[in-house]
Amino acid sequence: MTISVRGVVSRGKGEPVEVTTVLVPEPGPGEALVTVQACGVCHTDFHYREGGIGDDYPYLLGHEAAGVVDAVGPDVTDVAPGDFVILNWRAVCGQCRACSRGEPWYCFSTHNATQKMTLEDGTVLSPALGIGAFVEKTLVAAGQCTKVNPAIPAATAGLLGCGVMAGIGAAINTGGVTRGKSVAVIGCGGVGDGAIAGSYLAGANPIIAVDVDDRKLEWAREFGATHVINSRNADPVAGIQELTGGNGADVVIEALGRPETYKQAFYARDLAGTVVLVGVPTPEMKLELPLLDVFGRGGALKSSWYGDCLPSRDFPMLVDLHLQGRLPLDKFVSETIGLDDIEEAFAKMGRGEVLRSVVTL
């Protein structure tokens, strides 16, 4: 038996998305059916629409979501109908090399629902990041559901499903930011501001925000940035060094995924400092650095997958911190919209007018 719902589908590269009927199967073994209450509009969804991630059209877009479990498969025990959950796109397997050595946040065999959602004519949909949440109900692997305190609004909670978690985790989990460390964040969108919020939470000082948009730099201050640099008007490497006693920052987080800003991050860190790449590059991008500089500056060059988070550990903790007033997740929500407003939300995102537009259902 299948359920008919409304969802947002991308049918071809660069084509406007459309709201259409989606058929969702009842959950089988290891699966959960979730009523989506809110889903953030992320750059990743736009990249899917533009063909920047693959060409497995049609895509069911949306992945940064929260909602309530409707039903579960016969063998599911971790979540139950009625649970309020945040959806995650890295359901760990518990058995791969990474999981076996006690590092499940690196899981090399994450999984999604086995059954497929389709269009009315039977065309199989590819769910964005294995979720597909711009839809009234979605089918996911039960491991993609993380139960959290339902006191948090869904529009706020869902942001932990991707961008905000990626940023917070890039600082705390990957970058190892702790009290007293100096941090610079290059790129102050949702992910970058997540990194700033995580650094502030960890007690970093100074926290230096770098962007070309003064509006975004003001938003960065709201999340804990102590200093800001508009790199359109000033050299960010020199600026970061000046603000850190001439040395550079202990941790520099690159949240754009571009070669030119990665080089800035590389040279803006202190000797033996850490660079964290959390921005996602496109396939054609290349990076060239003098190997002697890589050796001579020491330290660590890291990539951050989903903020190296473990959803079962990190989502409930961060929700609790928000409810305690210590993590302002609600400030990431610029506006709430409907399923019919995705194209305009993409346009606003491209113009830098919003941190997150959030679809509420």
Side-chain angles (χ1 to χ4, degrees):
M1 181 178 174
T2 59
I3 304 165
S4 297
V5 295
R6 295 173 72 240
V8 176
V9 171
S10 173
R11 290 186 181 268
K13 182 176 180 179
E15 296 180 10
V17 300
E18 64 176 270
V19 178
T20 189
T21 299
V22 174
L23 302 183
V24 185
E26 291 187 343
E31 296 175 338
L33 179 68
V34 177
T35 293
V36 178
Q37 295 181 328
C39 184
V41 180
C42 177
H43 278 86
T44 301
D45 297 303
F46 182 73
H47 291 326
Y48 271 110
R49 196 201 77 163
E50 295 300 294
I53 294 178
D55 59 358
D56 196 15
Y57 294 97
Y59 288 109
L60 177 59
L61 299 182
H63 60 280
E64 198 177 69
V68 174
V69 175
D70 266 9
V72 298
D75 60 343
V76 173
T77 58
D78 289 344
V79 291
D83 285 346
F84 178 68
V85 296
I86 299 173
L87 301 183
N88 74 80
W89 46 270
R90 285 185 60 80
V92 302
C93 72
Q95 299 175 337
C96 70
R97 304 186 306 283
C99 290
S100 296
R101 66 179 180 234
E103 297 176 324
W105 47 89
Y106 293 139
C107 180
F108 300 148
S109 188
T110 57
H111 55 283
N112 306 317
T114 302
Q115 299 183 91
K116 303 299 183 183
M117 293 178 278
T118 68
L119 297 174
E120 286 185 292
D121 64 4
T123 301
V124 172
L125 291 167
S126 300
L129 292 179
I131 293 177
F134 288 152
V135 66
E136 293 164 333
K137 296 180 188 289
T138 190
L139 184 74
V140 295
Q144 292 177 286
C145 299
T146 304
K147 184 178 178 180
V148 297
N149 189 332
I152 185 172
T156 302
L159 301 183
L160 290 173
C162 188
V164 174
M165 180 71 254
I168 292 173
I172 296 175
N173 297 334
T174 313
V177 173
T178 56
R179 63 186 181 277
K181 284 195 174 183
S182 55
V183 176
V185 177
I186 300 177
C188 298
V191 175
D193 281 346
I196 290 168
S199 299
Y200 180 81
L201 188 67
N205 188 60
I207 302 170
I208 305 162
V210 179
D211 204 284
V212 297
D213 187 330
D214 286 332
R215 175 172 44 193
K216 289 186 176 181
L217 292 172
E218 285 306 309
W219 291 341
R221 288 187 187 274
E222 295 182 17
F223 293 103
T226 59
H227 302 78
V228 299
I229 298 172
N230 187 320
S231 55
R232 193 184 298 278
N233 305 323
D235 177 0
V237 176
I240 292 167
Q241 290 172 340
E242 182 179 352
L243 292 167
T244 53
N247 300 315
D250 296 315
V251 180
V252 184
I253 299 166
E254 202 277 7
L256 294 170
R258 302 187 61 84
E260 60 271 27
T261 46
Y262 187 89
K263 284 185 179 181
Q264 292 170 355
F266 179 84
Y267 287 108
R269 67 187 173 123
D270 197 359
L271 294 174
T274 298
V275 174
V276 177
L277 174 64
V278 67
V280 181
T282 54
E284 76 281 359
M285 290 180 176
K286 306 288 184 184
L287 177 68
E288 184 174 331
L289 286 170
L291 192 57
L292 183 60
D293 286 358
V294 175
F295 172 80
R297 298 183 68 84
L301 308 179
K302 296 184 174 184
S303 298
S304 185
W305 299 346
Y306 202 3
D308 291 339
C309 78
L310 186 61
S312 60
R313 174 195 66 192
D314 294 341
F315 288 4
M317 172 191 68
L318 294 172
V319 166
D320 287 346
L321 287 171
H322 171 72
L323 293 173
Q324 294 165 14
R326 298 168 61 190
L327 181 61
L329 295 174
D330 54 306
K331 290 184 179 180
F332 287 92
V333 180
S334 302
E335 62 174 358
T336 56
I337 62 173
L339 282 176
D340 296 302
D341 303 321
I342 302 296
E343 277 296 321
E344 178 58 24
F346 284 156
K348 289 180 180 179
M349 184 172 61
R351 296 192 296 265
E353 295 175 2
V354 294
L355 275 178
R356 272 297 186 271
S357 301
V358 178
V359 175
T360 55
L361 296 98

mmCIF file of all heavy atoms in Angstrom, residues 72 94 96 203 209 211 219 242 346-347 352:
data_model
loop_
_atom_site.group_PDB
_atom_site.id
_atom_site.type_symbol
_atom_site.label_atom_id
_atom_site.label_comp_id
_atom_site.label_asym_id
_atom_site.label_seq_id
_atom_site.Cartn_x
_atom_site.Cartn_y
_atom_site.Cartn_z
ATOM 1 N N VAL A 72 6.515 2.522 11.786
ATOM 2 C CA VAL A 72 7.846 1.927 11.632
ATOM 3 C C VAL A 72 7.699 0.490 11.146
ATOM 4 O O VAL A 72 6.647 -0.136 11.282
ATOM 5 C CB VAL A 72 8.643 1.951 12.957
ATOM 6 C CG1 VAL A 72 8.880 3.384 13.405
ATOM 7 C CG2 VAL A 72 7.931 1.165 14.036
ATOM 8 N N GLY A 94 27.128 0.540 12.184
ATOM 9 C CA GLY A 94 27.556 -0.181 13.380
ATOM 10 C C GLY A 94 28.504 -1.337 13.120
ATOM 11 O O GLY A 94 28.949 -1.994 14.070
ATOM 12 N N CYS A 96 30.955 -1.377 10.023
ATOM 13 C CA CYS A 96 32.062 -1.127 9.097
ATOM 14 C C CYS A 96 33.363 -0.905 9.860
ATOM 15 O O CYS A 96 33.414 -0.936 11.090
ATOM 16 C CB CYS A 96 31.747 0.078 8.219
ATOM 17 S SG CYS A 96 31.770 1.653 9.111
ATOM 18 N N GLY A 203 33.895 28.403 24.047
ATOM 19 C CA GLY A 203 34.712 29.364 24.783
ATOM 20 C C GLY A 203 35.883 29.923 24.011
ATOM 21 O O GLY A 203 36.837 30.443 24.607
ATOM 22 N N ALA A 209 35.112 36.553 12.009
ATOM 23 C CA ALA A 209 34.247 36.207 10.884
ATOM 24 C C ALA A 209 34.724 36.928 9.636
ATOM 25 O O ALA A 209 35.020 38.121 9.673
ATOM 26 C CB ALA A 209 32.804 36.588 11.189
ATOM 27 N N ASP A 211 33.778 37.577 5.492
ATOM 28 C CA ASP A 211 32.824 37.453 4.390
ATOM 29 C C ASP A 211 32.938 38.711 3.539
ATOM 30 O O ASP A 211 33.629 39.669 3.916
ATOM 31 C CB ASP A 211 31.394 37.276 4.921
ATOM 32 C CG ASP A 211 30.472 36.585 3.931
ATOM 33 O OD1 ASP A 211 30.039 37.245 2.962
ATOM 34 O OD2 ASP A 211 30.187 35.386 4.105
ATOM 35 N N TRP A 219 25.196 39.414 10.996
ATOM 36 C CA TRP A 219 24.583 38.182 11.494
ATOM 37 C C TRP A 219 25.616 37.369 12.274
ATOM 38 O O TRP A 219 25.305 36.797 13.321
ATOM 39 C CB TRP A 219 24.044 37.342 10.338
ATOM 40 C CG TRP A 219 22.864 37.928 9.640
ATOM 41 C CD1 TRP A 219 22.021 38.895 10.131
ATOM 42 C CD2 TRP A 219 22.393 37.603 8.337
ATOM 43 N NE1 TRP A 219 21.049 39.178 9.194
ATOM 44 C CE2 TRP A 219 21.238 38.409 8.093
ATOM 45 C CE3 TRP A 219 22.807 36.714 7.352
ATOM 46 C CZ2 TRP A 219 20.526 38.331 6.893
ATOM 47 C CZ3 TRP A 219 22.093 36.638 6.160
ATOM 48 C CH2 TRP A 219 20.970 37.442 5.936
ATOM 49 N N GLU A 242 46.699 40.106 12.280
ATOM 50 C CA GLU A 242 46.733 41.301 13.125
ATOM 51 C C GLU A 242 45.909 41.110 14.394
ATOM 52 O O GLU A 242 46.286 41.590 15.478
ATOM 53 C CB GLU A 242 46.213 42.499 12.341
ATOM 54 C CG GLU A 242 46.250 43.803 13.122
ATOM 55 C CD GLU A 242 45.743 44.985 12.304
ATOM 56 O OE1 GLU A 242 45.506 44.823 11.092
ATOM 57 O OE2 GLU A 242 45.574 46.072 12.901
ATOM 58 N N PHE A 346 15.202 29.761 -3.216
ATOM 59 C CA PHE A 346 16.499 29.594 -3.880
ATOM 60 C C PHE A 346 17.042 30.946 -4.334
ATOM 61 O O PHE A 346 18.234 31.240 -4.187
ATOM 62 C CB PHE A 346 16.371 28.663 -5.089
ATOM 63 C CG PHE A 346 16.262 27.196 -4.767
ATOM 64 C CD1 PHE A 346 15.655 26.327 -5.665
ATOM 65 C CD2 PHE A 346 16.787 26.670 -3.595
ATOM 66 C CE1 PHE A 346 15.560 24.975 -5.397
ATOM 67 C CE2 PHE A 346 16.699 25.310 -3.311
ATOM 68 C CZ PHE A 346 16.078 24.459 -4.218
ATOM 69 N N ALA A 347 16.163 31.786 -4.886
ATOM 70 C CA ALA A 347 16.596 33.100 -5.361
ATOM 71 C C ALA A 347 17.076 33.973 -4.204
ATOM 72 O O ALA A 347 18.112 34.652 -4.308
ATOM 73 C CB ALA A 347 15.444 33.786 -6.105
ATOM 74 N N GLY A 352 21.821 36.223 -1.052
ATOM 75 C CA GLY A 352 22.354 36.418 0.288
ATOM 76 C C GLY A 352 21.410 37.104 1.237
ATOM 77 O O GLY A 352 21.826 37.708 2.235
#
